[in-house]
Amino acid sequence: MNAVAAAPAKTSFKEQMLQAREEAIVQTASRLLAEKGFESMTVDEVAASVGIAKASLYKHFPSKEDLAAAAMVRIMQRTLDFLASVPAEGQPIAKLRAVVRWSMEVQLAGEMPSLPHQNSTLRAALMNNRGYLDRLVTISDKLGGWIQAAQADGTLNPKLPAIAVLYTLFARACDPVLGFLKAGGLQSDEQIVELVLATCFDGLATR
């Protein structure tokens, strides 16, 4: 007699509500990290924005560092999901431009958490967060492969160290130029993205 496979356990209504609340907390933390940075963001304002007591928030995340780390892991996963959506048959340089464009669009939408300062307690927490580190390594390896391929086919300067190019592209995800141009009100978000893409990939010298 064949064994009947057990049906997957259904998530209870209470668990669904807890998951939804946790997602709302992380989304709010991501927005505030993008607006204010880790040092200026407070747990009180995250809780107030979600509409819960601070004690309830601490049931999900025992510290401000844990909360911010969850937001950073979330954006890393979003980045991985985007990388997976990039057509494999595209040219390496086109893939890199697509990733940088996406990261700037996310930043302009207020959904890109700011990177922590070198001496931030958040940075220390992230260095001990396996979920964050694993995603960071995977992203770096994928982009590094595209960078090396673009250098090999001559569309990126082969004299530049690949690691320097990688960090330059990472920096576009938290580039203050985007905010300065947006505050000026002279360009649309799409125009801002294209301007910064041009300076990043084409340089400032006259061609």
Side-chain angles (χ1 to χ4, degrees), residues 129-147:
N129 187 303
R130 179 53 56 189
Y132 175 83
L133 290 177
D134 286 349
R135 288 168 174 81
L136 177 61
V137 169
T138 302
I139 292 167
S140 298
D141 286 348
K142 174 70 77 173
L143 294 180
W146 291 347
I147 289 168

Side-chain angles (χ1 to χ4, degrees), residues 16 79 100 134 155 169 183:
Q16 291 177 26
T79 304
V100 175
D134 286 349
T155 52
L169 300 185

Side-chain angles (χ1 to χ4, degrees), residues 153-187:
D153 69 20
T155 52
L156 272 183
N157 186 349
K159 295 181 180 180
L160 295 173
I163 191 67
V165 178
L166 176 65
Y167 290 156
T168 298
L169 300 185
F170 274 151
R172 301 290 72 77
C174 52
D175 194 338
V177 170
L178 300 174
F180 295 150
L181 290 173
K182 189 176 181 71
L186 299 178
Q187 295 93 13

Side-chain angles (χ1 to χ4, degrees), residues 98-122:
V99 175
V100 175
R101 176 182 285 107
W102 172 82
S103 70
M104 291 193 293
E105 289 172 347
V106 173
Q107 184 186 348
L108 285 168
E111 299 172 0
M112 181 67 73
S114 299
L115 294 177
H117 297 157
Q118 187 72 25
N119 60 350
S120 169
T121 55
L122 173 57

